[in-house]
């Protein structure tokens, strides 16, 4: 695997804000103010499913899921985290890490298929992006 | 954590067949013939979210997701694997590992919320359970 060959899928780029690069994964924030919804994209070209990561990358993916989850849990009123690697529509491996509130628009259903996204107001995005970058040492 | 204190949540027990115990997780098969749909339940009491596993358990969970995915991919016409840890309704950590076909009842949507399960015919369950047990060395 050559990390240098990594190219983010155009659909993921269109739907998200770039937060920064963790050791394995590019961290993205979905442009949907209904949920604090992040996506980890391991920078390995040509993967679609989670099991295609090798053992070392799989362990690192878990570490990054955990670090990101801990940050998301510090946001107001977050009750739990949902994690999913689906990739049915976008054929590049990406791992959803989503902060859920029992009061959110989809609860207790998954966020996928819960209706159209509600884009962030610009100031809200900046605050959340800076929070994520600061707490994950991406500044 | 004391593995000996592990007790499977009643809802998971009611919805599934027991396949066997991998080193970390109890492996279950959802009683829904629409999808080859397995669930890994790490035998650690009191966990709800994936990030609550420690690093060693997280790495082992990844190994078990990968082993199980490779077995599911040998079933007929399977196109890809979906992995998810949601736990919004059942508050015990469990990891869905689902074989998806582009012809299945939910494609390309997630399986959750795709309507009522279709229980297996008894003979079909036995064949699939034995296949899983044999290929995962659970016999």
């Amino acid at each position: 695997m050559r990390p240098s060959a990594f190219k983010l899928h155009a659909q993921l780029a269109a739907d998200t804000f770039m937060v920064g690069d963790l050791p394995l994964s590019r961290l993205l924030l979905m442009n949907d103010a209904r949920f604090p919804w992040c996506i980890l994209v391991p920078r390995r070209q040509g993967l679609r499913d989670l099991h295609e990561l090798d053992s070392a990358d799989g362990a690192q993916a878990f570490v990054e899921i955990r670090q990101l989850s801990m940050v998301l849990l510090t946001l107001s009123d977050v009750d739990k985290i949902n994690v999913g690697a689906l990739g049915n529509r976008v054929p590049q491996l990406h791992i959803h890490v989503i902060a859920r509130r029992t009061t959110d628009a989809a609860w207790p259903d998954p966020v996928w298929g819960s209706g159209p996204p509600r884009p962030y107001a610009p100031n809200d995005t900046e605050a959340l992006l800076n929070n994520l970058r600061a707490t994950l040492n991406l500044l």
Side-chain angles (χ1 to χ4, degrees), chain A:
Chain A
M1 293 298 161
R2 298 182 179 278
S4 59
F6 174 74
K7 187 171 186 309
L8 185 66
H9 191 284
Q11 188 66 53
L12 293 174
D15 293 343
T16 66
F17 299 98
M18 163 80 170
V19 183
D21 279 344
L22 295 166
L24 174 66
S25 308
R26 180 151 301 170
L27 175 56
L28 308 170
L29 173 69
M30 277 286 277
N31 188 11
D32 187 344
R34 298 175 304 160
F35 318 99
W37 178 349
C38 289
I39 296 180
L40 292 167
V41 187
R43 296 192 304 283
R44 301 285 185 260
Q45 196 59 23
L47 303 191
R48 182 167 187 192
D49 280 3
L50 192 64
H51 66 267
E52 297 172 43
L53 291 172
D54 66 24
S55 296
D57 283 352
Q60 179 62 26
F62 176 77
V63 167
E64 295 179 3
I65 289 168
R66 192 171 56 183
Q67 288 176 331
L68 177 57
S69 297
M70 299 307 289
V71 174
L72 291 175
L73 284 168
T74 66
L75 302 178
S76 63
D77 300 323
V78 169
D79 294 296
K80 75 180 309 297
I81 304 293
N82 286 178
V83 176
L86 305 179
N88 299 346
R89 294 175 191 272
V90 174
Q92 179 176 57
L93 174 60
H94 59 288
I95 305 166
H96 301 270
V97 182
I98 309 147
R100 300 300 308 271
R101 300 172 170 119
T102 58
T103 55
D104 72 32
W107 186 266
D109 294 324
V111 298
W112 308 287
S114 64
R118 177 162 61 82
Y120 280 100
N123 287 349
D124 293 347
T125 318
E126 281 311 302
L128 183 49
L129 289 173
N130 286 335
N131 181 353
L132 290 167
R133 289 174 186 140
T135 48
L136 289 166
N137 297 314
L138 294 173
L139 288 177

